[in-house]
C-alpha cells in the first residue's frame, strides 16, 4: 500500500508511482462511487481525482494562511507526507505500516534529488519542469515515468536490503593491495588513455570508479576535477543499479573460500570530501511563483493513458551515455547541476565500471547559472522593497551581467526560436531597467526577472536536454574506445571477480555499526 505522487498546483499529475495493492485499493474506492454499468476511466484520471482535494487544500492554506500541513494520518491509518517544492507538490503515502513519516519524507527528498540529477537547472523553472515530467506524447511519457518509477523502486529496494543506503552512505570494499592497484590502473590506463585519445569527441573523463554491486572498489578523480559529493555519488549508484540490477543470488559465484585471498580487510564506509558550500548561493536560489489556477486535465490528452502500463522500456545501451547534472565546486565558486555524461559499462553481472565526463559545452551551463543567480538576487531585493541603486547592489551586479549577457546572446546567435525569445525578452528588460523612459529598478521589473530566468532555463534545456545538432558529428566517446576501456578493466579484475562478488555480499555492519566509523551523512533533507 504505497504511493508517491508529484502534482502541479492545478492538480495535474506530473508523475505517479503506486504498488499493485495501492492501485487496486484506489480503483475499488473510485469504482464504488460509479454508477452501475460505467467502466473505470484511466488510472491517472482516477488518482488525479482522488488526490485533488488534498492538493486544493494545500494551495488554499498557503494562499490564505501562508502555511500548510506536512503530514497527516487518516482513520484507516494511512500516512500522508507532503512537501511543496516551489509549484510542485510531492505526496508520499503508506498504508501497510511498513514506512513511517521519516521514511516517506526521505523518499520524497530522494525523488527530488533524482529529478535534479536528470533535469538539472530546468527544475528551476516550473513551466519547463512540468513539460519535462509530463510530455504530451504518450509513449514518451510512458518511457520517462517507467524510468523514474524504476529509480524509485531501486532506491526502495536498496534501502531495505543494503546498509549503506539505510544510513545514506557510500560503502567501500577494502583490500589494500587490490584497491591501490585499481586506483593506479584507473589513473594511468583508463583516464589518461581516454583523455589523450582523438575518439573522445571533446569529452574529458573527470571521475572513474568501479562498483561491486553498490560497494565502491576503486575511485579516481583527475587533477582538475571537482569533488564528487556524496549525495551525487549515491544518486549515480542508484542509476547504475537501475540499469544493471544486482541479483546477488545469481551473481554469487558459489561457495569458494574467499578467505584464501590474503590482504583483505573489513568492510568500511567511505564518504568523499564534500564540496564547499556557498550559503549565499543556496539562500538566493532562483525561486518561482505564479497564481495557482485549479483545472482538471483535458480528457482528450488522457485518451491513450491505459497504454502507459503496457509499454515496455528497451534495455539500456552501454555505449550510450546518460546526461546527468552534478554539483561542481571551482575556484570561481559553487555551480550546482552542471552537465556531465555518465558511461555505465558492465564488466560482469554485479561489477560495473562508471565514467563521468565533462562535456565540451559545459561553459554554457556555468554562464547560465551565473545569470540565473544575478536575476534571482535582483528579484529578491526588489521583492523586499529595495529600489534604484539599492536594488542593484551585490556581486555580481546587474550592470556587470548586462555586457556579459549581451555577448552570451550574440554567441548563441538568433538561429533558433529559443535564442530569439531570450534576445527579445532581454531587449525588453533593458528598455525597462536601463533606459531613461523606463520604470527603472522598481517592483514592476519583478515579472521580467522571472521571465528572464525562464528564458535562460529554456536555453539550458535546449543545450543539454534536447538531442539536437548534426547526426554526423560525434558527441560522445566512441563505442570502440569504451569497449577498449571495458576490456582492460575486465583483464585486470579477471582473477579477482569471484572473490569480490562474494565479499560484497557480506553484510557484517548490518549487525552493529563500529563506533569509529566515519559519520557519513546526517539525516537531513539536503543530504540526498
Amino acid at each position: 500500500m504505497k504511493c508517491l505522487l508529484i502534482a502541479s498546483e492545478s492538480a495535474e499529475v506530473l508523475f505517479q508511482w503506486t504498488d499493485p495493492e495501492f492501485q487496486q485499493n484506489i480503483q475499488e474506492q473510485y469504482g464504488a462511487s460509479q454508477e452501475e454499468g460505467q467502466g473505470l476511466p484511466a488510472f491517472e484520471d482516477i488518482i488525479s481525482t482522488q488526490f485533488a482535494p488534498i492538493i486544493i487544500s494545500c494551495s488554499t492554506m498557503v494562499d490564505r494562511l501562508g502555511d500548510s500541513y506536512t503530514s497527516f494520518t487518516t482513520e484507516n491509518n494511512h500516512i500522508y507526507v507532503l512537501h511543496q517544492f516551489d509549484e510542485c507538490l510531492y505526496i508520499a503515502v503508506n498504508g501497510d505500516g511498513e514506512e513511517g513519516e521519516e521514511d516517506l519524507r526521505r523518499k520524497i527528498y530522494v525523488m527530488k534529488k533524482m529529478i535534479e540529477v536528470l533535469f538539472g537547472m530546468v527544475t528551476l523553472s516550473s513551466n519547463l519542469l512540468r513539460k519535462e515530467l509530463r510530455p504530451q506524447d504518450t509513449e514518451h511519457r510512458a518511457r520517462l515515468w517507467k524510468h523514474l518509477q524504476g529509480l524509485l523502486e531501486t532506491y526502495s529496494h536498496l534501502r531495505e536490503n543494503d546498509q549503506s543506503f539505510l544510513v545514506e552512505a557510500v560503502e567501500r570494499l577494502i583490500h589494500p593491495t587490490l584497491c591501490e592497484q585499481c586506483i593506479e590502473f584507473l589513473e594511468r590506463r583508463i583516464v589518461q588513455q581516454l583523455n589523450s585519445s582523438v575518439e573522445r569527441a571533446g569529452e574529458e573523463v573527470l571521475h572513474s570508479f568501479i562498483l561491486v554491486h553498490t560497494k565502491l572498489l576503486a575511485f579516481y578523480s583527475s587533477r582538475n576535477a571537482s569533488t564528487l559529493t556524496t549525495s551525487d555519488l549515491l544518486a549515480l549508484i542508484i542509476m547504475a543499479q537501475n540499469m544493471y540490477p544486482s541479483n546477488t543470488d545469481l551473481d554469487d559465484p558459489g561457495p569458494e573460500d574467499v578467505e584464501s585471498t590474503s590482504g583483505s580487510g573489513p568492510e568500511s564506509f567511505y564518504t568523499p570530501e564534500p564540496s564547499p558550500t556557498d550559503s549565499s548561493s543556496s539562500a538566493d536560489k532562483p525561486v518561482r511563483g505564479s497564481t495557482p489556477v485549479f483545472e482538471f486535465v483535458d480528457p482528450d490528452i488522457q485518451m491513450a493513458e491505459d497504454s502507459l502500463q503496457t509499454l515496455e522500456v528497451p534495455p539500456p545501451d552501454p555505449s550510450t551515455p546518460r546526461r546527468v547534472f552534478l554539483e561542481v565546486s571551482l575556484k570561481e565558486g559553487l555551480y550546482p547541476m552542471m552537465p556531465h555524461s555518465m558511461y555505465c559499462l558492465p564488466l560482469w553481472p554485479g561489477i560495473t565500471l562508471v565514467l563521468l565526463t565533462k562535456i565540451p559545452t559545459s561553459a554554457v551551463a556555468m554562464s547560465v547559472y551565473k545569470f540565473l543567480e544575478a536575476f534571482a538576487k535582483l528579484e529578491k531585493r526588489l521583492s523586499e522593497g529595495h529600489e534604484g541603486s539599492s536594488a542593484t547592489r551585490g556581486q555580481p551586479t546587474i550592470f556587470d551581467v548586462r555586457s556579459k549577457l549581451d555577448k552570451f546572446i550574440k554567441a548563441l546567435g538568433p538561429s533558433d526560436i529559443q535564442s530569439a525569445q531570450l534576445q527579445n525578452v532581454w531587449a525588453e528588460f533593458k528598455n525597462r531597467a536601463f533606459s531613461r523612459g523606463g520604470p527603472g529598478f522598481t517592483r514592476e521589473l519583478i515579472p521580467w526577472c522571472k521571465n528572464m530566468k525562464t528564458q535562460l532555463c529554456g536555453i539550458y534545456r535546449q543545450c543539454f536536454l534536447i538531442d539536437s545538432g548534426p547526426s554526423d558529428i560525434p558527441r560522445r566517446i566512441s563505442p570502440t574506445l569504451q569497449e577498449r576501456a571495458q576490456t582492460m578493466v575486465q583483464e585486470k579484475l579477471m582473477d579477482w571477480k569471484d572473490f569480490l562478488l562474494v565479499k560484497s555480499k557480506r553484510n557484517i555492519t548490518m549487525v552493529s555499526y563500529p563506533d569509529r566509523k566515519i559519520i557519513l551523512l546526517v539525516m537531513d533533507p539536503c543530504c540526498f
Side-chain angles (χ1 to χ4, degrees), residues 1 92 129 136 138 160 167 177 238 242 253 273 292 309 342 388 479:
M1 290 288 288
L129 182 59
Q136 290 292 321
T138 306
E160 292 173 5
V167 296
T177 304
I238 291 174
N242 185 57
E273 182 181 347
Q309 301 295 330
M342 176 187 180

Side-chain angles (χ1 to χ4, degrees), residues 409 412-428 455 459 462:
I409 293 174
L412 289 175
S415 57
D416 55 76
I417 297 175
Q418 191 63 57
S419 298
Q421 289 178 342
L422 173 61
Q423 190 170 13
N424 293 337
V425 173
W426 175 232
E428 183 63 29
Q455 297 302 323
I459 292 292
Q462 176 183 289

Side-chain angles (χ1 to χ4, degrees), residues 43 308 351 368:
F43 180 69
L308 286 175
I351 305 180
V368 169

Side-chain angles (χ1 to χ4, degrees), residues 86-322:
D86 299 301
E87 295 179 20
C88 292
L89 178 64
Y90 287 63
I91 305 175
V93 187
N94 181 268
D96 55 18
E98 294 182 359
E99 297 172 308
E101 284 189 23
E102 186 58 32
D103 298 316
L104 297 176
R105 194 165 287 112
R106 297 310 305 162
K107 185 183 289 187
I108 287 175
Y109 284 120
V110 169
M111 193 71 235
K112 180 177 181 290
K113 174 65 179 181
M114 298 308 302
I115 287 175
E116 289 176 346
V117 169
L118 292 173
F119 297 105
M121 277 185 257
V122 169
T123 58
L124 302 181
S125 168
S126 300
N127 234 1
L128 295 178
L129 182 59
R130 281 198 299 269
K131 293 178 181 178
E132 288 297 322
L133 288 178
R134 188 183 172 83
Q136 290 292 321
D137 180 71
T138 306
E139 290 191 14
H140 183 192
R141 191 190 318 158
R143 289 192 299 270
L144 173 63
W145 286 15
K146 192 82 171 178
H147 179 54
L148 292 175
Q149 289 165 353
L151 292 172
L152 185 60
E153 289 169 358
T154 298
Y155 163 75
S156 298
H157 173 76
L158 293 176
R159 184 174 171 85
E160 292 173 5
N161 297 278
D162 194 306
Q163 72 268 20
S164 60
F165 280 83
L166 181 66
V167 296
E168 296 191 1
V170 179
E171 191 174 358
R172 182 173 63 178
L173 286 177
I174 295 298
H175 187 289
T177 304
L178 181 60
C179 291
E180 183 179 348
Q181 290 178 1
C182 286
I183 292 172
E184 184 177 348
F185 185 86
L186 290 176
E187 176 187 6
R188 297 182 179 179
R189 299 292 303 279
I190 301 299
V191 175
Q192 289 184 5
Q193 287 194 24
L194 290 179
N195 287 343
S196 62
S197 173
V198 295
E199 299 179 49
R200 60 189 176 94
E203 294 196 353
E204 177 188 357
V205 180
L206 298 178
H207 307 280
S208 61
F209 53 95
I210 300 171
L211 290 173
V212 183
H213 298 310
T214 61
K215 298 175 175 61
L216 203 60
L217 172 63
F219 188 102
Y220 175 76
S221 297
S222 61
R223 297 181 186 280
N224 57 341
S226 170
T227 302
L228 189 63
T229 66
T230 307
S231 60
D232 282 346
L233 185 52
L234 285 169
L236 296 176
I237 293 174
I238 291 174
M239 292 181 66
Q241 276 291 297
N242 185 57
M243 293 174 68
Y244 304 106
S246 290
N247 186 332
T248 53
D249 293 331
L250 296 179
D251 297 342
D252 187 353
E256 288 85 356
D257 183 11
V258 297
E259 299 300 338
S260 62
T261 305
S262 61
S264 62
E267 289 84 353
S268 71
F269 290 104
Y270 163 73
T271 298
E273 182 181 347
S275 299
T277 57
D278 184 348
S279 58
S280 62
S281 297
S282 60
D284 299 326
K285 181 180 178 180
V287 294
R288 309 177 292 280
S290 63
T291 305
V293 179
F294 179 77
E295 58 182 5
F296 283 101
V297 179
D298 188 339
D300 293 336
I301 299 176
Q302 303 292 334
M303 291 179 63
E305 291 295 343
D306 288 326
S307 64
L308 286 175
Q309 301 295 330
T310 59
L311 290 172
E312 293 295 328
V313 178
D317 178 5
S319 66
T320 302
R322 292 291 180 105

Side-chain angles (χ1 to χ4, degrees), residues 332-348:
E332 299 83 3
L334 183 68
Y335 294 88
M337 296 179 278
M338 291 293 108
H340 296 70
S341 289
M342 176 187 180
Y343 296 83
C344 198
L345 308 178
L347 305 176
W348 298 280

